[in-house]
């Protein structure tokens, strides 16, 4: 399937090397685990997370004597590292989509709009990245493509007032899901974080009945840098989940494991291509099977 295809670069990197380690060391010993540790770190799973995994395997070593048992134990421990996505969506929902420019935020919003519309939901998009005219235009293009309305103001206007209008419109039109784009200019970090907090407050004040979901978009091809970005945003706002994009373009898919285990934020969706239907709900089991097959 498409997720598996999208993760092929990561799988080739990880699984191919894993097989050669396990073949060289028919008996599972400390050396095998050391080689495994190196491999996991090189696959962007992260030093801390890798060490945690290796510890778990050591604790469990009496049950692991064959390469196959090691692989299965590794999969199991990896799956356990992912925090559970604890809520399915309750409507109406307001989704605030946050992330640095270029990570694939607008594309992901377009894909989400398409997905929810196909599920029969009434979708409204909000162009609250008022910092760049291009961002507003790009969202409008997605709106037309998917066939959903976009609430927008002029470039440079107050993002909170765009969201305010969108919430009123969403209530009046009985939208099931209101998806809000936000600015991603990290060079004015402090202002950006204040802006995001303000958007939050607007939602809570103007539409308390709606279920507020904060999603952070991270670009998998940036590897460990995605973790750095995530920590900066996490300090300002509480996140419900992560959208991890561009998994198709990287062998660094292991970053999903690091992000989930080190931030404790579940991955909700993954992007595996530029197409409108290249966004999938994340499933830890499918993901792990796809990269360690
Ligand atoms: P934004 O600045 O965060 O809104 O980023 P955009 O949505 O404009 O995306 C930046 C680029 O990344 C565009 O060329 C998108 O087509 C591309 N992109 C977004 N998501 C994915 C993905 O999952 N896979 C691939 N290969 N490209 C993606």
């Amino acid at each position: 399937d498409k997720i598996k295809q999208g993760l092929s670069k990561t799988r080739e990197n990880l699984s191919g090397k894993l097989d050669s380690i396990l073949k060289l060391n028919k008996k599972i010993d400390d050396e095998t685990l050391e080689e495994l540790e190196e491999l996991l770190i090189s696959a962007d799973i992260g030093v801390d997370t890798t060490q945690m995994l290796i510890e778990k395997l050591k604790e469990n070593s009496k049950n692991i004597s064959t390469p196959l048992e090691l692989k299965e134990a590794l999969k199991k421990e990896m799956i356990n590292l992912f925090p559970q996505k604890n809520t399915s969506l309750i409507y109406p929902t307001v989704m605030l989509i946050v992330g640095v420019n270029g990570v694939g935020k607008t594309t992901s919003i377009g894909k989400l709009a398409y997905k929810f519309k196909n599920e029969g939901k009434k979708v409204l998009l909000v162009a609250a990245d008022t910092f760049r005219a291009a961002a507003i235009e790009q969202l409008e293009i997605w709106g037309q493509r998917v066939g959903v309305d976009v609430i927008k103001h002029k470039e440079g206007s107050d993002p909170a007032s765009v969201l305010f209008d969108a919430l009123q419109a969403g209530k009046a039109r009985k939208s099931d899901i209101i998806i809000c784009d936000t600015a991603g200019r990290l060079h004015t970090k402090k202002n950006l974080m204040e802006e995001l907090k303000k958007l939050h407050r607007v939602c809570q004040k103007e539409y308390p009945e709606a279920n507020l979901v904060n999603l952070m978009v991270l670009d998998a091809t940036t590897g460990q840098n995605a973790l750095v970005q995530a920590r900066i945003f996490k300090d300002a706002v509480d996140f419900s989940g992560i959208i991890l994009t561009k998994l198709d373009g990287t062998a660094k898919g292991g970053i999903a494991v690091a992000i989930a285990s080190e931030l404790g934020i579940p991955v909700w969706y993954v992007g595996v291509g530029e197409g409108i239907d290249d966004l999938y709900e994340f499933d830890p089991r499918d993901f792990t099977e796809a990269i360690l097959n």
Side-chain angles (χ1 to χ4, degrees):
D1 54 16
K2 279 205 94 173
I3 297 191
K4 234 176 148 175
Q5 200 186 320
L7 285 165
S8 61
K9 287 190 185 167
T10 301
R11 178 172 56 254
E12 278 157 27
N13 178 37
L14 197 55
S15 221
K17 288 182 192 151
L18 182 62
D19 285 344
S20 66
I21 289 177
L22 295 179
K23 230 168 265 156
L24 287 175
N25 301 274
K26 279 178 214 77
K27 210 171 123 295
I28 306 299
D29 52 17
D30 282 353
E31 201 191 320
T32 321
L33 291 179
E34 265 168 43
E35 284 175 10
L36 180 61
E37 185 172 349
E38 259 173 53
L39 173 62
L40 294 178
I41 291 172
S42 79
D44 263 273
I45 286 169
V47 176
D48 294 346
T49 307
T50 296
Q51 268 157 10
M52 216 147 66
L53 280 169
I54 298 291
E55 279 313 307
K56 295 271 185 199
L57 293 176
K58 280 184 180 159
E59 281 166 26
N60 201 13
S61 62
K62 62 178 185 307
N63 299 320
I64 303 172
S65 51
T66 66
L68 191 65
E69 280 167 357
L70 179 64
K71 206 165 173 173
E72 289 309 312
L74 176 62
K75 280 184 195 169
K76 191 172 144 247
E77 297 301 343
M78 216 182 248
I79 290 167
N80 287 340
L81 287 179
F82 287 98
Q84 290 301 308
K85 172 174 180 284
N86 45 17
T87 46
S88 48
L89 289 178
I90 306 161
Y91 301 100
T93 282
V94 179
M95 274 188 174
L96 288 184
I97 312 290
V98 170
V100 175
N101 288 337
V103 293
K105 204 168 30 176
T106 317
T107 307
S108 298
I109 292 171
K111 290 170 174 175
L112 282 171
Y114 176 76
K115 172 183 146 59
F116 290 122
K117 193 176 180 220
N118 275 350
E119 289 169 7
K121 300 289 180 253
K122 225 174 152 194
V123 185
L124 188 64
L125 298 182
V126 192
D129 179 356
T130 58
F131 196 69
R132 296 178 305 156
I136 302 173
E137 280 162 28
Q138 213 191 337
L139 201 69
E140 279 201 290
I141 292 169
W142 275 106
Q144 282 162 9
R145 212 172 146 190
V146 178
V148 300
D149 290 341
V150 179
I151 303 294
K152 56 158 191 170
H153 288 186
K154 281 203 301 285
E155 180 189 0
S157 55
D158 179 10
S161 77
V162 186
L163 180 58
F164 181 91
D165 282 357
L167 296 177
Q168 309 311 324
K171 280 190 240 182
R173 302 175 195 184
K174 300 198 174 7
S175 303
D176 296 302
I177 183 150
I178 300 171
I179 309 177
C180 182
D181 191 15
T182 63
R185 47 181 205 291
L186 208 53
H187 59 281
T188 53
K189 199 159 81 188
K190 186 155 176 294
N191 293 345
L192 178 59
M193 298 308 159
E194 289 310 314
E195 187 175 307
L196 295 176
K197 286 182 195 168
K198 193 168 164 194
L199 293 176
H200 250 238
R201 289 197 298 271
V202 169
C203 286
Q204 281 158 345
K205 183 152 175 283
E206 298 305 324
Y207 204 177
E209 308 82 14
N211 174 38
L212 178 57
V213 168
N214 285 308
L215 296 179
M216 174 167 25
V217 184
L218 296 172
D219 175 347
T221 64
T222 62
Q224 296 297 314
N225 196 32
L227 265 174
V228 176
Q229 279 173 18
R231 291 210 176 89
I232 294 172
F233 281 111
K234 197 181 169 219
D235 284 343
V237 192
D238 281 333
F239 283 95
S240 324
I242 283 162
I243 302 176
L244 190 61
T245 61
K246 309 188 198 179
L247 274 171
D248 54 304
T250 182
K252 297 174 189 280
I255 193 67
V257 185
I259 287 169
S261 89
E262 291 180 32
L263 300 175
I265 306 175
V267 180
W268 278 32
Y269 302 104
V270 289
V272 293
E274 294 187 281
I276 197 164
D277 55 358
D278 288 330
L279 186 87
Y280 293 91
E281 264 180 56
F282 178 81
D283 178 77
R285 192 170 299 272
D286 290 348
F287 177 84
T288 308
E289 285 293 339
I291 65 168
L292 284 178
N293 191 4

